[in-house]
Amino acid sequence: MGELRGELRTDEPLARHTSWRVGGPARRLYRPADVHDLVEFLRRLDPGEPLLWLGLGSNLLVPDVGFPGTVILTHGCLTGLERRGPAGVYAQAGATCARVARFAARHDLIGVEFLAGIPGTMGGALTMNAGAWGGETWTHVSRVRTIDRTGLVRERTPADFHIGYRDVRGAPGEWFLDVELELQPGDGVAAMTRMRALLDQRARTQPTGLPSCGSVFRNPPGDYAARLIESVGLKGYRIGGAQVSEKHANFIINTGPATARDIAGLVDHVRCEVERHTGVRLKPEYVSVTAVR
């Protein structure tokens, strides 16, 4: 066995690593030096150890009691980006979506401008088929590599997954390690202009700069979660330090003192009120850590 070269922290507050800025401590947090170091770390891991993978933490609600296992932090380490062939882009799981979008445009490759508005990493985008403004991540995936808790790396194609709206299901116990995207040659300058326009639109319509997870609920078929929430008068409604954004009703923001319990309580209240008044049961778009295995 080689020596581990990554960074190991104990009792690390996960509020530092989530965009909602809530969450108690992880028993251990490991930031690998590279893929080889990650493989070595996982090979040494106790098979019964609870495991959580974390990028930018933008689609995650961590409970106030924290996480009683090991967190693998990919952001800031697994960030490789490469041009592959005439229209391919290779990205590791910790590369941010916005960086991938800019990288593609600089190489005159188009189709993933929507990634500029997704505040997460490619690992998270693959996990939930992240999308915006009509684009979705898996539309452009040609292959991925996954890794399991024993450190075994596998190459897979989209055919190995069930891919839907904000939902991706594959072999259990595997996490995304990297991806190769197949894009279209095009005008990179025009792509950059489109990205700036999309980001301007996002800033006008969403509470950017405030702690949130992005969109809280999936849009139901033929409708918008924000419209339904606003229609029942919940814009601005708050529980503790958590508040339904007055700018965009499908965002719940941390006004400063919010706890995970406040946010979870507000999510439940919104779901119940929308269902009571409209008959529509909204489905959360974020992941609750208690549901992670």
Side-chain angles (χ1 to χ4, degrees):
M1 290 188 182
E3 288 189 7
L4 294 176
R5 295 171 287 110
E7 177 186 5
L8 179 66
R9 301 181 188 178
T10 58
D11 297 320
E12 175 70 6
L14 292 179
R16 297 176 180 172
H17 302 281
T18 62
S19 60
W20 248 326
R21 299 293 181 259
V22 298
R27 191 174 70 84
R28 300 195 308 169
L29 181 144
Y30 191 69
R31 190 197 302 265
D34 51 33
V35 172
H36 298 295
D37 183 61
L38 174 60
V39 168
E40 187 63 40
F41 178 81
L42 290 172
R43 285 175 177 168
R44 301 182 187 193
L45 199 65
D46 187 311
E49 175 81 353
L51 195 58
L52 172 67
W53 293 69
L54 185 64
L56 279 173
S58 58
N59 202 44
L60 209 61
L61 180 62
V62 176
D64 299 313
V65 295
F67 185 69
T70 297
V71 172
I72 304 293
L73 186 65
T74 62
H75 176 57
C77 50
L78 302 182
T79 58
L81 271 177
E82 296 176 11
R83 175 82 177 264
R84 292 279 177 90
V89 169
Y90 164 85
Q92 290 186 316
T96 65
C97 295
R99 184 166 165 246
V100 171
R102 294 193 299 268
F103 180 88
R106 285 198 300 271
H107 288 84
D108 290 317
L109 298 174
I110 63 173
V112 290
E113 293 87 311
F114 69 92
L115 286 175
I118 294 176
T121 59
M122 287 305 299
L126 291 166
T127 300
M128 65 171 291
N129 193 19
W133 300 300
E136 287 188 330
T137 302
W138 276 85
T139 302
H140 307 280
V141 173
S142 60
R143 66 103 192 154
V144 296
R145 285 197 307 166
T146 65
I147 189 168
D148 67 18
R149 63 180 303 123
T150 70
L152 180 62
V153 176
R154 297 177 177 89
E155 184 167 317
R156 296 196 179 277
T157 69
D160 294 317
F161 300 89
H162 172 78
I163 301 161
Y165 171 64
R166 305 295 178 267
D167 182 55
V168 178
R169 301 178 191 178
E174 295 182 22
W175 294 270
F176 294 110
L177 188 60
D178 52 37
V179 60
E180 191 163 318
L181 303 170
E182 189 67 25
L183 306 180
Q184 296 293 323
D187 186 340
V189 174
M192 286 287 194
T193 300
R194 173 169 162 75
M195 279 189 274
R196 285 193 291 269
L198 292 173
L199 290 173
D200 286 345
Q201 178 185 347
R202 179 170 174 257
R204 289 194 304 270
T205 60
Q206 298 176 11
T208 56
L210 296 173
S212 79
C213 76
S215 295
V216 173
F217 299 105
R218 304 178 186 185
N219 288 324
D223 209 337
Y224 295 95
R227 189 198 71 79
L228 292 168
I229 297 166
E230 187 171 356
S231 75
V232 299
L234 289 177
K235 256 191 173 182
Y237 188 89
R238 63 189 297 164
I239 292 178
Q243 182 182 39
V244 176
S245 169
E246 295 181 346
K247 193 171 188 180
H248 192 304
N250 198 19
F251 281 67
I252 288 178
I253 59 174
N254 179 353
T255 63
T259 63
R261 184 176 182 179
D262 292 340
I263 292 169
L266 185 52
V267 168
D268 287 342
H269 179 76
V270 169
R271 293 182 78 188
C272 289
E273 287 297 293
V274 168
E275 185 173 23
R276 183 166 71 90
H277 288 281
T278 72
V280 177
R281 181 70 170 171
L282 294 175
K283 296 180 180 180
E285 188 167 303
Y286 67 90
V287 175
S288 173
V289 166
T290 57
V292 174
R293 296 291 182 266

